[in-house]
Amino acid sequence: MRNVTWSELQIITVACAIVLGLSMLLAQPLNALLLGERYAGSLGVNVRRVHFLSLSSVAVLSGIITAYCGAIGFAGFAAPHLARGLLRTADHRVVLRPAP
């Protein structure tokens, strides 16, 4: 693990803010996907686009965090799963708020 400078922290903060904003925009389509791809598609969700955007944002975020903070920073991605268990809901609008 290495020390992160203030200028590097700015890059991390901007990347996290962008991904968090994208996550909030994808909360409703992700909730629809909990019911299955076919059902989400019938609700008008572009399933391929939601999959691509969510996987891309996770890949970018995990890459940035791991590059700047080391492998131990990657363990922080367990927070949404812990929040889902503690809050006893899979609703992304509720789970995304306490996760970061």
Tab-separated table of all heavy atoms in Angstrom, residues 3-5 14 16-17 20 25-27 33-34 42 49 55-56 61 64 67 70 73 79 81 85 89 91 93 100:
chain	number	residue	atom	x	y	z
A	3	ASN	N	1.173	5.735	-0.194
A	3	ASN	CA	0.480	6.965	0.178
A	3	ASN	C	-0.104	7.635	-1.052
A	3	ASN	O	0.535	7.698	-2.094
A	3	ASN	CB	1.439	7.924	0.867
A	3	ASN	CG	1.925	7.375	2.187
A	3	ASN	OD1	1.220	6.596	2.824
A	3	ASN	ND2	3.111	7.763	2.602
A	4	VAL	N	-1.304	8.146	-0.931
A	4	VAL	CA	-1.976	8.841	-2.020
A	4	VAL	C	-1.831	10.330	-1.778
A	4	VAL	O	-2.114	10.826	-0.692
A	4	VAL	CB	-3.469	8.447	-2.075
A	4	VAL	CG1	-4.179	9.221	-3.171
A	4	VAL	CG2	-3.613	6.955	-2.298
A	5	THR	N	-1.369	11.059	-2.807
A	5	THR	CA	-1.197	12.503	-2.683
A	5	THR	C	-2.536	13.202	-2.886
A	5	THR	O	-3.507	12.601	-3.355
A	5	THR	CB	-0.184	13.025	-3.719
A	5	THR	OG1	-0.720	12.810	-5.026
A	5	THR	CG2	1.163	12.304	-3.587
A	14	VAL	N	-13.132	12.573	-8.319
A	14	VAL	CA	-13.902	12.841	-9.540
A	14	VAL	C	-14.425	11.533	-10.139
A	14	VAL	O	-15.595	11.438	-10.519
A	14	VAL	CB	-13.047	13.622	-10.563
A	14	VAL	CG1	-13.717	13.676	-11.920
A	14	VAL	CG2	-12.759	15.016	-10.057
A	16	CYS	N	-14.966	8.673	-8.623
A	16	CYS	CA	-15.998	8.117	-7.745
A	16	CYS	C	-17.314	8.888	-7.888
A	16	CYS	O	-18.388	8.287	-7.889
A	16	CYS	CB	-15.537	8.127	-6.302
A	16	CYS	SG	-14.264	6.908	-5.932
A	17	ALA	N	-17.233	10.194	-8.013
A	17	ALA	CA	-18.444	11.007	-8.164
A	17	ALA	C	-19.160	10.679	-9.472
A	17	ALA	O	-20.391	10.564	-9.507
A	17	ALA	CB	-18.098	12.487	-8.104
A	20	LEU	N	-20.685	7.191	-9.095
A	20	LEU	CA	-21.823	7.232	-8.171
A	20	LEU	C	-23.036	7.878	-8.846
A	20	LEU	O	-24.157	7.396	-8.704
A	20	LEU	CB	-21.462	7.985	-6.897
A	20	LEU	CG	-22.548	8.046	-5.832
A	20	LEU	CD1	-22.913	6.648	-5.364
A	20	LEU	CD2	-22.105	8.889	-4.665
A	25	LEU	N	-28.363	6.948	-11.567
A	25	LEU	CA	-29.199	6.951	-12.768
A	25	LEU	C	-29.622	5.538	-13.168
A	25	LEU	O	-30.687	5.345	-13.752
A	25	LEU	CB	-28.450	7.603	-13.934
A	25	LEU	CG	-28.220	9.106	-13.835
A	25	LEU	CD1	-27.342	9.587	-14.987
A	25	LEU	CD2	-29.537	9.859	-13.817
A	26	LEU	N	-28.779	4.563	-12.858
A	26	LEU	CA	-29.077	3.179	-13.225
A	26	LEU	C	-29.857	2.430	-12.147
A	26	LEU	O	-30.174	1.255	-12.328
A	26	LEU	CB	-27.772	2.421	-13.507
A	26	LEU	CG	-27.019	2.816	-14.770
A	26	LEU	CD1	-25.692	2.080	-14.842
A	26	LEU	CD2	-27.852	2.542	-16.000
A	27	ALA	N	-30.179	3.074	-11.038
A	27	ALA	CA	-30.844	2.386	-9.925
A	27	ALA	C	-32.178	1.777	-10.349
A	27	ALA	O	-32.466	0.614	-10.046
A	27	ALA	CB	-31.033	3.335	-8.743
A	33	LEU	N	-34.099	-5.143	-13.465
A	33	LEU	CA	-33.336	-6.340	-13.812
A	33	LEU	C	-33.370	-7.393	-12.709
A	33	LEU	O	-33.120	-8.568	-12.969
A	33	LEU	CB	-31.884	-5.973	-14.135
A	33	LEU	CG	-31.643	-5.455	-15.543
A	33	LEU	CD1	-30.224	-4.938	-15.695
A	33	LEU	CD2	-31.908	-6.539	-16.559
A	34	LEU	N	-33.660	-6.986	-11.485
A	34	LEU	CA	-33.795	-7.963	-10.403
A	34	LEU	C	-34.924	-8.945	-10.678
A	34	LEU	O	-34.915	-10.070	-10.182
A	34	LEU	CB	-34.055	-7.255	-9.066
A	34	LEU	CG	-32.882	-6.512	-8.448
A	34	LEU	CD1	-33.350	-5.733	-7.230
A	34	LEU	CD2	-31.778	-7.477	-8.074
A	42	SER	N	-39.386	-5.948	-21.129
A	42	SER	CA	-40.787	-5.627	-21.401
A	42	SER	C	-41.197	-4.303	-20.755
A	42	SER	O	-42.180	-3.694	-21.169
A	42	SER	CB	-41.701	-6.754	-20.913
A	42	SER	OG	-41.733	-6.803	-19.511
A	49	ARG	N	-27.570	-2.179	-22.710
A	49	ARG	CA	-26.956	-0.911	-22.330
A	49	ARG	C	-26.736	-0.825	-20.824
A	49	ARG	O	-25.695	-0.388	-20.364
A	49	ARG	CB	-27.810	0.259	-22.803
A	49	ARG	CG	-27.112	1.610	-22.637
A	49	ARG	CD	-28.017	2.698	-23.077
A	49	ARG	NE	-28.896	2.937	-21.919
A	49	ARG	CZ	-29.527	4.058	-21.694
A	49	ARG	NH1	-29.475	5.024	-22.557
A	49	ARG	NH2	-30.257	4.213	-20.625
A	55	LEU	N	-21.328	-2.649	-15.738
A	55	LEU	CA	-20.056	-3.370	-15.714
A	55	LEU	C	-18.872	-2.459	-16.011
A	55	LEU	O	-17.808	-2.585	-15.399
A	55	LEU	CB	-20.088	-4.545	-16.686
A	55	LEU	CG	-20.974	-5.710	-16.287
A	55	LEU	CD1	-21.047	-6.741	-17.405
A	55	LEU	CD2	-20.476	-6.349	-15.014
A	56	SER	N	-19.055	-1.518	-16.936
A	56	SER	CA	-17.983	-0.575	-17.252
A	56	SER	C	-17.663	0.323	-16.069
A	56	SER	O	-16.494	0.561	-15.754
A	56	SER	CB	-18.362	0.294	-18.450
A	56	SER	OG	-18.533	-0.487	-19.590
A	61	LEU	N	-14.047	1.952	-11.793
A	61	LEU	CA	-13.891	2.295	-10.381
A	61	LEU	C	-12.934	1.342	-9.670
A	61	LEU	O	-12.059	1.781	-8.930
A	61	LEU	CB	-15.251	2.299	-9.691
A	61	LEU	CG	-15.277	2.853	-8.281
A	61	LEU	CD1	-14.798	4.296	-8.269
A	61	LEU	CD2	-16.672	2.772	-7.713
A	64	ILE	N	-9.318	2.086	-10.810
A	64	ILE	CA	-8.761	3.315	-10.242
A	64	ILE	C	-8.435	3.134	-8.763
A	64	ILE	O	-7.348	3.499	-8.307
A	64	ILE	CB	-9.722	4.494	-10.461
A	64	ILE	CG1	-9.715	4.892	-11.934
A	64	ILE	CG2	-9.336	5.688	-9.593
A	64	ILE	CD1	-10.737	5.930	-12.295
A	67	ALA	N	-5.449	0.815	-8.409
A	67	ALA	CA	-4.211	1.439	-8.872
A	67	ALA	C	-3.678	2.458	-7.871
A	67	ALA	O	-2.465	2.544	-7.640
A	67	ALA	CB	-4.443	2.114	-10.221
A	70	GLY	N	-3.990	0.383	-3.803
A	70	GLY	CA	-3.492	-0.965	-3.602
A	70	GLY	C	-4.631	-1.965	-3.500
A	70	GLY	O	-5.809	-1.613	-3.545
A	73	GLY	N	-7.678	-1.649	-1.007
A	73	GLY	CA	-8.792	-0.770	-1.362
A	73	GLY	C	-9.895	-1.503	-2.096
A	73	GLY	O	-11.061	-1.106	-2.059
A	79	ALA	N	-18.855	-3.269	0.544
A	79	ALA	CA	-19.797	-2.406	1.268
A	79	ALA	C	-21.232	-2.503	0.744
A	79	ALA	O	-22.163	-2.604	1.552
A	79	ALA	CB	-19.302	-0.967	1.264
A	81	HIS	N	-22.742	-4.987	-0.628
A	81	HIS	CA	-23.287	-6.291	-0.256
A	81	HIS	C	-23.595	-6.335	1.236
A	81	HIS	O	-24.603	-6.905	1.654
A	81	HIS	CB	-22.316	-7.397	-0.648
A	81	HIS	CG	-22.002	-7.383	-2.109
A	81	HIS	ND1	-22.920	-7.750	-3.067
A	81	HIS	CD2	-20.885	-7.026	-2.788
A	81	HIS	CE1	-22.382	-7.625	-4.268
A	81	HIS	NE2	-21.149	-7.189	-4.128
A	85	GLY	N	-27.380	-6.634	3.004
A	85	GLY	CA	-27.706	-7.572	4.059
A	85	GLY	C	-28.232	-6.892	5.313
A	85	GLY	O	-29.185	-7.354	5.936
A	89	THR	N	-32.842	-5.356	2.002
A	89	THR	CA	-33.531	-4.983	0.776
A	89	THR	C	-32.549	-5.062	-0.383
A	89	THR	O	-31.342	-4.908	-0.195
A	89	THR	CB	-34.136	-3.575	0.860
A	89	THR	OG1	-34.829	-3.294	-0.364
A	89	THR	CG2	-33.077	-2.512	1.075
A	91	ASP	N	-33.330	-3.127	-3.081
A	91	ASP	CA	-33.660	-1.892	-3.793
A	91	ASP	C	-32.415	-1.027	-3.890
A	91	ASP	O	-31.865	-0.574	-2.892
A	91	ASP	CB	-34.767	-1.145	-3.053
A	91	ASP	CG	-35.282	0.056	-3.819
A	91	ASP	OD1	-34.637	0.463	-4.808
A	91	ASP	OD2	-36.333	0.585	-3.423
A	93	ARG	N	-32.024	1.968	-4.866
A	93	ARG	CA	-32.180	3.350	-4.397
A	93	ARG	C	-31.890	3.449	-2.908
A	93	ARG	O	-31.437	4.479	-2.423
A	93	ARG	CB	-33.587	3.854	-4.689
A	93	ARG	CG	-33.848	4.000	-6.198
A	93	ARG	CD	-35.286	4.307	-6.456
A	93	ARG	NE	-36.060	3.118	-6.052
A	93	ARG	CZ	-37.363	3.028	-6.141
A	93	ARG	NH1	-38.070	4.047	-6.581
A	93	ARG	NH2	-37.994	1.925	-5.784
A	100	PRO	N	-21.230	3.965	0.106
A	100	PRO	CA	-19.909	4.603	0.084
A	100	PRO	C	-19.538	5.012	1.454
A	100	PRO	O	-18.602	5.012	2.014
A	100	PRO	CB	-20.079	5.811	-0.799
A	100	PRO	CG	-21.406	5.721	-1.433
A	100	PRO	CD	-22.184	4.703	-0.666
